């Protein structure tokens, strides 16, 4: 929907999506956009915790989120597509662009120009481009160029998203498939260059394998397994970086550009969403959501080409595959299935596969054997290659062909520690005759489920399949007697099965025969845990006579028509507990006992399947491909197609030449996505077929239908005036006083901005994008490792990242301001943070989590139509003001939650304000781990008389009002944890013990505690979503569950050992610790402690593992205790079962008496021996010296004699006197020196010789 750019004074033309401004010389054209992209991960967390994900692109309010400059505002992102003609590129004059941008800064953040030029940013110290911001929440998109694209109708400017590998960044018209799941080491070398930066280059920085590429174009027309992964709902808000296209360009600065952000991947999640919204400047661009799911059914061949593992991709969509084919349901695990699969193509083993919820898709021929085995117990009349039933779970695809069932497990390394992907299709239940597969829409207990209904020899049984960790197993239920035998009939057949995971219950629709009587139908309940079966309800044989009523309560006394009831299935919504039995009728019940017949649905039609939103709306498809619509809890059923409203809608679309509609079309399936109803339709236009996904405008159709049926023609003057009757009881409905959402939605959110590029144009390059990858990866790595037992001094995952560099923040700013930052980029510490203070979006949240006794309050403001107040006299009052606008609150489980409504009449405004408070009643839940085993329920708010009649006109079309449903989860909310408060524990221990001695080898991550000191443990309750952190005031049980003298020798203790080492009742002399606390558990087995407890005294008695440890050196023995702290069963203040396991390092352990005595005796013996040795040495030393002297003298004497005679024989007689005199003098001198005490006589005798 383009607009003429008359305000610009220049002509705007588009060539293949590129925007050019003609007749104006240009020097430079620089983009000035700044958008936000949001993405979410229901870890399932959500909730996966395992969760789902989304990305938004938001326009800001006109102010640059930076500290350096204020950028000029404008628009001008161009679509990256090849130019078909006119390849020359005109330029826009820089001065005109800047002048316009500065003028726009003084105005509102909206523009009427559809596609204008980009503004050149102004302001010191360098210009900066307005860029896109992306918020991620555990989600991914796969838009592959080799896929068959579903045709989209672009009536106005819109966002487009693809994935690019690093080597393809900046290339036009390319996209990559999302199946690589491991981080890559492509950025670490760049971080070593960033000296004088706040980051630590010694840390390991990795990157994700993909970038998210965001384009902006204008055209005239066209989670599960929580035992392995932490349950959480994670979002990251990323500001996208502008990047120039690498295609040839004659312009000085830029011809076309895109925005890039890293595409994060989180362990434990394969389903993500990306929501993009503009920054609010210039042209209005609607928000857009993209599915970005990991496809585990792809692989690379030897030539590095991508191909499917489940079969062979086909490129030709033949009309005979779709034209005139009956539609079929799209079955999958809600919010958990990354890849959807749809069969039903006649006589072909073809399926449609998509990982983007049919934004694009592939036609695949499955590699199965297509065999058919007939037998006397499997009465198949014929063979066909058609794939009848298809079901997608988080990691596994199931199909049924004839009586055969196959499954294929994808390769998802983010879900499992090792690869559990299938090499080929696996056939299961090979000896069974399967007539139908039934889906289970929600995961539970860390598993997903599927049901197979049999015929033949095992008629009356259900094969119940469980998928956990990619492994599939089936169990035949009931375990003992068949359903037929237990309800007392000879023959029966199970038509449909519905599993209610929270109750471990199977609801079975059973057809039974009683002799020669006609067939009868019953609803049977089977408990999979207790193996108990109960007959719940006998379905009437004939359809009741409603006699003009909208609904009829089935009591057994009503009259019936001659039309027999033919039930086909059961539908149960686990949030509001509503059960529907459907066929050629609709029965509704909220307690499985009393059913209401909905008379608006004609008995001449038969329901084929139902599409469920699980948020209060249901779409119905009949055997004749009619579409009906129902709001759960109401009794009106609306026909959408064919209808008068549909005729008006299709006429308008054909007049607009919409590519999403045609006169000849075939619906393949109808399904809900994000509470919106969609069709997958095959269109035939001029003998050309195309497959499209389009939105079913339910509100628009109901409005058209209402207006075409109820209108007045009133003559005024000489002409007739058309007026429509408004049946809505109110004119305005607004939500007020909404609390901040994060405390109730449990969504964690991070913010990340790209590093500042030191380049005047503001465009990023490959290096800056790679650094951005590493920073986002490290931010999410900090998030993943933050869940540790020892609490940091500051409750924030990013605190450790910048703790040592915050004091140098001004220095880094100085470097960046003077363009001296290393690597050409500047990293701001404040750009990577966790957000705790999100504001409400003036709408009820998608879901609400309630802890024990938690309240959620909000208000509804209603402006009435006309006069809606009356006064009524009551006893004790003169007048009582009453409003004819009423609000009702329906609770699915009133025994578990309660709601209070307070009405305030604003007569001067002809309005009413209803204050509603929802509160948990502390009755229906015990205790559970954070985010696990939550109870599903719901709250529905209805304005009386508004169902299907009230609509609010918005820029995105009409929006239905008056009926609000919010899923409610009761239990321990995700994101809460118990942490060991090491900081306060050390301070308090130093205060009470008057000293503190750490280990000789200090470990700052695990300080030591002295054995002889009293140990005073303190714990924190930390909320990872809101950032709250406070002392744990509840009660808890502390147990030593493992230990060892070193970290390498740690062992876990058995249950018997845990009892002996921790229980005050132990009589085996095995206690490790004790306390003066007298409060114990009900069986007196363990102490119950709190923050007021007097502390722990270490014992390490004789049979304890820490008793009598051998020192590893000269210091006292040390020991590591593995400590478990839990409040389960002893703390009634919360639904949370806080469990914390941490290591405690104790030093200075005493030795056992025996070992101490042994060491004393050995030490004394050694000491006495040394003393004796010393005395003996002192006494014997003179004698030893004397003996050594004598020996030495004799040796010297012998040597001297030998020398004398040898010399005499050589020198002659003449030298004898002098030689003798000399020798005698020398010997005399030597002897006198060595022993002065020798007698004189001995010396003389020696001289004479």
């Amino acid at each position: 929907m383009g607009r003429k750019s008359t305000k610009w004074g220049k002509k705007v033309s588009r060539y293949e999506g590129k925007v050019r401004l003609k007749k104006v010389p240009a020097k430079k054209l620089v983009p000035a956009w700044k958008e936000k992209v949001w993405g979410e991960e229901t870890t399932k967390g959500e909730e996966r915790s395992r969760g789902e994900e989304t990305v938004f692109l938001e326009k800001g309010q006109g102010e640059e989120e930076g500290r350096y400059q204020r950028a000029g505002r404008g628009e001008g992102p161009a679509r990256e597509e090849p130019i078909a003609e006119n390849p020359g590129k005109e330029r826009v004059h820089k001065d005109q662009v800047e002048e316009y941008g500065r003028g726009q800064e003084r105005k509102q953040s909206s523009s009427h120009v559809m596609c204008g030029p980009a503004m050149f940013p102004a302001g010191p110290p360098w210009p900066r481009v307005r860029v896109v911001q992306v918020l991620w929440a555990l989600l991914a998109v796969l838009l592959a160029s080799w896929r068959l694209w579903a045709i989209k109708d672009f009536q106005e400017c819109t966002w487009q998203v693809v994935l690019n590998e690093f080597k393809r960044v900046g290339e036009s018209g390319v996209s990559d498939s999302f199946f690589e799941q491991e981080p890559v080491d492509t950025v670490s070398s760049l971080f070593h260059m960033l000296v004088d930066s706040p980051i630590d280059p010694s840390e390991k920085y990795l990157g994700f394998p993909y970038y998210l590429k965001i384009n902006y174009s204008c055209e005239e027309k066209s989670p599960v397994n929580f035992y392995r992964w932490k349950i959480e709902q994670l979002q990251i808000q990323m500001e996208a970086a502008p990047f120039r296209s690498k295609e040839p360009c004659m312009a000085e600065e830029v011809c076309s550009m895109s925005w890039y952000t890293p595409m994060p991947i989180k362990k434990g999640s394969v389903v993500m969403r990306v929501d993009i919204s503009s920054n609010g400047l210039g042209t209005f661009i609607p928000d857009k959501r993209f599915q970005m799911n990991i496809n585990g059914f792809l692989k690379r061949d030897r030539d590095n080409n991508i191909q499917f593992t489940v079969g062979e991709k086909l490129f030709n969509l033949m009309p005979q595959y779709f034209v005139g084919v009956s539609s079929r349901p799209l079955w999958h695990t809600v919010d958990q299935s990354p890849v959807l699969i749809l069969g039903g193509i006649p006589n072909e083993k073809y399926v449609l596969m998509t990982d983007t919820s049919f934004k694009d898709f592939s036609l695949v021929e499955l590699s199965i054997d297509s065999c058919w085995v007939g037998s006397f117990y499997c009465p198949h009349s014929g063979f066909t290659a058609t794939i009848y039933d298809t079901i997608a779970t988080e990691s596994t695809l199931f199909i049924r062909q004839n009586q055969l069932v196959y499954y294929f497990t994808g390769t998802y390394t983010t879900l499992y520690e090792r690869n559990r992907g299938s090499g080929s299709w696996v056939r299961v239940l090979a000896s069974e005759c399967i007539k139908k597969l039934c889906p289970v829409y929600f995961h539970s207990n860390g598993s997903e489920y599927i049901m197979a209904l049999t015929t033949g020899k095992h008629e009356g049984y259900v094969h119940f399949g469980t998928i956990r960790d990619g492994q599939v197993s089936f169990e035949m239920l009931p375990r003992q007697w068949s359903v037929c035998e237990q309800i007392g009939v000879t023959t029966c057949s199970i038509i449909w099965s519905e599993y209610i995971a929270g109750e471990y219950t199977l609801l079975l629709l059973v057809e039974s025969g009683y002799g020669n009587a006609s067939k009868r139908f019953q609803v049977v309940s089977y408990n999979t845990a207790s193996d108990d079966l109960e007959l719940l309800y006998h379905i009437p044989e004939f359809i009741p006579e409603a006699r003009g009523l909208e609904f009829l309560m089935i009591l057994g006394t009503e009259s019936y028509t001659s039309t027999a009831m033919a039930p086909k299935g059961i539908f149960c919504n686990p949030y509001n507990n509503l059960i529907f039995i459907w066929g050629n009728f609709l029965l509704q019940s909220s307690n499985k006992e009393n059913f209401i017949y909905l008379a608006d649905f004609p008995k001449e039609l038969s329901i084929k399947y139902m599409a469920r939103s699980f948020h209060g709306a249901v779409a119905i498809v009949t055997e004749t491909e009619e579409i009906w619509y129902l709001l759960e809890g109401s009794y009106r059923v609306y026909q959408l197609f064919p209808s008068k409203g549909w005729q008006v809608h299709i006429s308008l679309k054909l007049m607009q030449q919409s590519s999403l509609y045609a006169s000849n079309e075939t619906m393949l399936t109808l399904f809900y996505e994000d509470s919106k109803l969609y069709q997958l339709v095959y269109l035939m236009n001029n003998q050309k077929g195309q497959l499209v996904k389009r939105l079913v405008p339910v509100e628009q159709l109901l409005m058209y239908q209402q207006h075409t049926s109820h209108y007045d023609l009133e003559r005024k003057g000489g002409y007739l005036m058309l007026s429509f009757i408004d049946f809505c009881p109110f004119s305005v409905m607004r939500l007020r006083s909404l609390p901040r959402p994060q405390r109730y939605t449990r969504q964690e959110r991070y913010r990340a901005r790209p590093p500042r590029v030191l380049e005047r144009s503001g465009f990023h390059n490959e290096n800056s994008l790679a650094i951005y990858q590493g920073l986002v990866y490290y931010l999410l790595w900090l998030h993943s490792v933050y869940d540790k037992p020892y609490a940091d001094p500051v409750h924030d995952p990013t605190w450790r990242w910048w703790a040592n560099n915050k004091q140098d923040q001004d220095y880094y700013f100085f470097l960046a301001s003077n363009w001296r930052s290393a690597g050409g980029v500047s990293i701001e510490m404040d750009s990577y943070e966790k957000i705790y203070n999100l504001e409400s979006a003036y709408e009820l949240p998608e879901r609400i989590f309630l802890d024990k006794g938690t309240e959620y309050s909000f208000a509804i403001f209603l402006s009435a139509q006309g006069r809606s107040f009356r006064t009524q006299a009551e006893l004790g009052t003169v007048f009582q003001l009453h409003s004819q606008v009423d609000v009702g609150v329906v609770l699915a489980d009133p025994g578990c939650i309660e709601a209070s409504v307070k009405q305030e009449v604003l007569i001067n405004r002809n309005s009413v304000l209803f204050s509603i408070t929802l509160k948990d009643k502390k009755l229906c839940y015990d205790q559970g781990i954070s985010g696990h085993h939550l109870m599903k329920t719901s709250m529905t708010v209805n304005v009386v008389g508004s169902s299907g009649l009230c609509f609010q006109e918005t820029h995105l079309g009409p929006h239905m009002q008056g009926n609000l449903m919010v899923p409610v989860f009761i239990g321990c909310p995700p994101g809460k944890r118990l942490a060991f408060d090491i900081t306060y524990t050390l301070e308090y221990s130093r205060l009470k013990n008057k000293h503190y001695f750490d280990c000789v080898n200090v470990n700052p991550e695990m300080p030591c505690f002295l054995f002889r000191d009293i140990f005073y443990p303190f714990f924190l309750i930390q909320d990872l979503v809101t950032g709250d952190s406070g002392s744990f005031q509840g009660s808890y049980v502390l147990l030593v569950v493992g230990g060892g003298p070193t970290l390498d020798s740690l062992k876990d203790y058995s249950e018997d050992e845990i009892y002996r080492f921790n229980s005050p009742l132990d009589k085996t002399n095995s206690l490790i610790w004790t306390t003066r606390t007298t409060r114990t558990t009900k069986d007196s087995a363990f102490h119950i402690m709190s923050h007021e407890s007097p502390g722990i005294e270490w014992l390490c008695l004789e049979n304890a593992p820490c008793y009598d440890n051998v020192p590893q050196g000269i210091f006292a023995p040390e020991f590591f205790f593995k400590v478990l702290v839990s409040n389960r069963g002893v703390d009634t203040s919360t639904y949370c079962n806080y469990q914390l396991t941490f290591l405690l390092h104790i030093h200075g352990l005493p030795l056992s008496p025996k070992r101490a005595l042994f060491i004393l005796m050995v030490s004394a013996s050694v000491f006495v021996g040394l003393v004796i040795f010393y005395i003996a040495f002192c006494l014997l030393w003179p004698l030893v010296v004397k003996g050594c002297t004598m020996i030495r003298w004799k040796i010297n004497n012998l040597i001297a004699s030998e020398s004398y005679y040898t010399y005499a024989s050589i020198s002659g007689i003449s030298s004898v006197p002098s030689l003798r005199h000399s020798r005698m003098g020398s010997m005399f001198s030597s002897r006198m020196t060595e022993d002065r005490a020798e007698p004189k006589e001995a010396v003389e005798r020696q001289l004479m010789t």
Side-chain angles (χ1 to χ4, degrees), residues 325-336:
V325 176
S326 176
S327 68
R328 49 275 193 193
L330 182 65
W331 288 338
H332 58 93
T333 307
V334 176
D335 298 332
Q336 297 296 132

Side-chain angles (χ1 to χ4, degrees), residues 128-146:
R128 181 182 174 214
V129 176
R130 286 200 173 272
V131 293
V132 183
Q133 294 187 352
V134 179
L135 166 71
W136 167 85
L138 308 186
L139 189 59
V141 178
L142 183 53
L143 307 178
S145 58
W146 47 271

Side-chain angles (χ1 to χ4, degrees), residues 730-743:
F730 58 86
S731 59
V732 176
M733 177 178 177
R734 297 191 183 98
L735 296 179
R736 292 185 173 181
S737 304
L738 290 167
R740 287 186 172 179
Q742 286 178 287
R743 184 175 299 276

